[in-house]
Amino acid sequence: MGRTRTYEWEDPAISAAVAGRTSGLDMMRDLLARRLPGPPVAATLDFALEEVEEGRAVFSLLPGEEHYNPIGSVHGGVYATLLDSAAGCAVHSTLPPGMGYTSLDLTVKFLRRITVDTGKVRAIGTVISRGRQTALAQAQLLDGADRLLAHATSSCMLIPVPSP
């Protein structure tokens, strides 16, 4: 009665080597166009980058049983991963060459339950404020009817990327 799921990913060092060498928006566009391999976590959870523009990133996921917690709904960590990805990549899309970022915190508010019956969900991240050293972003997790499922805010530290 067991269920199985297999998946593949590409070498994450390929994309990591590009980070900071080009603008964040150019890197995000290359990920979207699949000129760069996506991060392994996206393969693990089966979510995808759908849209990117400066200061905005959108990821989507079709919930499956593999995302469930023991009480029969999508685990909060899946929500958090989608929201963190959307908020962080929105920040990344604003960075010039030579800059990177890392998340300092993530605050998530869970508002609605997600199950396989929910259908496709989208995490939409937007930058609220970006300074020289930090950025603040938010992300909303929405269902197909644009009902808010969860909301997050994230502070990111902007860091110079050393030259090769």
Side-chain angles (χ1 to χ4, degrees):
M1 250 356 228
R3 291 167 168 84
T4 62
R5 180 173 168 262
T6 59
Y7 57 95
E8 296 178 357
W9 64 93
E10 294 182 53
D11 183 356
I14 295 168
S15 294
V18 175
R21 309 287 179 245
T22 183
S23 75
L25 184 57
D26 285 343
M27 182 178 178
M28 295 303 303
R29 286 179 175 156
D30 285 345
L31 287 165
L32 180 62
R34 300 182 195 260
R35 289 185 293 265
L36 286 174
V41 69
T44 301
L45 292 179
D46 197 21
F47 69 94
L49 178 64
E50 278 199 347
E51 299 174 36
V52 67
E53 60 188 65
E54 187 166 347
R56 184 174 184 272
V58 180
F59 287 86
S60 67
L61 169 105
L62 185 60
E65 289 180 340
E66 66 274 15
H67 301 118
Y68 275 17
N69 58 29
I71 60 173
S73 60
V74 172
H75 190 282
V78 175
Y79 286 66
T81 300
L82 288 168
L83 293 164
D84 183 56
S85 297
C89 288
V91 168
H92 190 119
S93 73
T94 69
L95 300 180
M99 291 298 292
Y101 81 96
T102 189
S103 298
L104 290 171
D105 62 30
L106 181 72
T107 302
V108 179
K109 301 297 182 194
F110 303 97
L111 304 172
R112 292 180 187 262
R113 173 177 201 249
I114 300 174
T115 68
V116 295
D117 296 328
T118 303
K120 181 176 153 181
V121 298
R122 292 173 300 125
I124 302 170
T126 55
V127 173
I128 297 170
S129 174
R130 197 194 81 139
R132 287 189 332 238
Q133 297 180 348
T134 60
L136 177 65
Q138 69 173 351
Q140 295 183 315
L141 190 61
L142 305 170
D143 67 10
D146 286 337
R147 286 182 297 222
L148 186 62
L149 305 170
H151 179 268
T153 56
S154 176
S155 300
C156 295
M157 181 171 55
L158 309 182
I159 50 178
V161 175
S163 298

